């Protein structure tokens, strides 16, 4: 088990298992390594009926509206990301909760007293962004903590 200093910085990393959230993960791992900290990976499962919910998502139990083991399109699960972080010498945990992404990220950042929130940029723009909103924008507006938005794919060092 990892011996993590309780006063070590914690970085909340938002993930939806896309390439942009992988870039955020890589950046969060790098920051945690540089500062002797840890990461908390956060995945928000949209509530039933919320805009953008894919009713066929295999990681959502439609009767309980809870996530099982969230798995991305590439077949990598949340627990795999924790294992990957630990293999790089960074303590990590994974949280999946139903709710809107910005709300869940803000609540978790507050709960762990995060040093920063790290998010990937999906690159959406125009009408799609106006309809779906911007998680990064909502997180930035909802906290005084630093919000790091990673654009494109970041290659881990």
């Amino acid at each position: 088990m990892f011996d993590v200093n309780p006063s070590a910085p914690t970085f909340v990393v938002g993930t939806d298992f896309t390439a942009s959230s992988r870039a955020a993960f890589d950046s969060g791992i790098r920051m945690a390594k540089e500062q002797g900290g840890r990461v908390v990976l956060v995945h928000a499962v949209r509530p039933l009926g919320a805009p953008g919910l894919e009713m066929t998502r295999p990681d959502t139990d439609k009767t309980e509206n809870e996530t099982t083991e969230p798995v991305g399109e590439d077949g990598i699960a949340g627990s795999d990301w924790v294992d990957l972080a630990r293999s790089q010498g960074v303590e990590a945990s994974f949280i999946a909760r139903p709710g809107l992404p910005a709300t869940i990220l803000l609540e978790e950042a507050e709960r762990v007293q995060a040093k920063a929130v790290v998010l990937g940029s999906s690159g959406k723009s125009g009408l799609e962004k106006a309809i779906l909103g911007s998680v990064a924008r909502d997180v930035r507006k909802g906290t005084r903590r630093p919000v790091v938005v990673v654009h494109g794919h970041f290659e881990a060092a």
Side-chain angles (χ1 to χ4, degrees):
M1 191 66 181
F2 289 83
D3 184 23
V4 177
N5 179 344
S7 64
T10 300
F11 299 89
V12 166
V13 178
T15 181
D16 60 2
F17 301 105
T18 61
S20 63
S21 65
R22 175 56 197 259
F25 169 82
D26 291 341
S27 293
I29 294 298
R30 188 181 74 197
M31 288 185 278
K33 283 170 84 170
E34 288 172 355
Q35 298 184 36
R38 63 190 177 108
V39 296
V40 176
L41 305 166
V42 178
H43 175 69
V45 178
R46 290 187 185 273
L48 290 175
L53 176 66
E54 299 296 329
M55 295 306 288
T56 60
R57 284 181 51 182
D59 65 335
T60 302
D61 179 333
K62 293 160 203 61
T63 61
E64 298 294 326
N65 193 30
E66 292 182 2
T67 186
T68 56
E69 174 73 357
V71 177
E73 291 177 5
D74 57 4
I76 297 177
S79 59
D80 295 330
W81 286 38
V82 169
D83 291 343
L84 181 57
R86 291 177 176 172
S87 75
Q88 296 181 51
V90 174
E91 178 55 32
S93 58
F94 179 77
I95 296 168
R97 292 181 33 208
L100 298 176
T103 302
I104 299 301
L105 286 162
L106 289 166
E107 289 172 356
E108 291 301 324
E110 187 62 29
R111 183 183 68 80
V112 301
Q113 296 298 295
K115 181 165 186 174
V117 179
V118 185
L119 304 167
S121 171
S122 64
K124 293 178 183 168
S125 61
L127 182 59
E128 185 176 10
K129 185 174 179 180
I131 292 171
L132 297 177
S134 170
V135 173
R137 181 195 63 222
D138 293 346
V139 170
R140 191 186 75 233
K141 286 183 176 181
T143 187
R144 290 184 174 215
R145 300 179 192 287
V147 177
V148 179
V149 180
V150 181
H151 296 276
H153 184 72
F154 171 81
E155 293 295 331

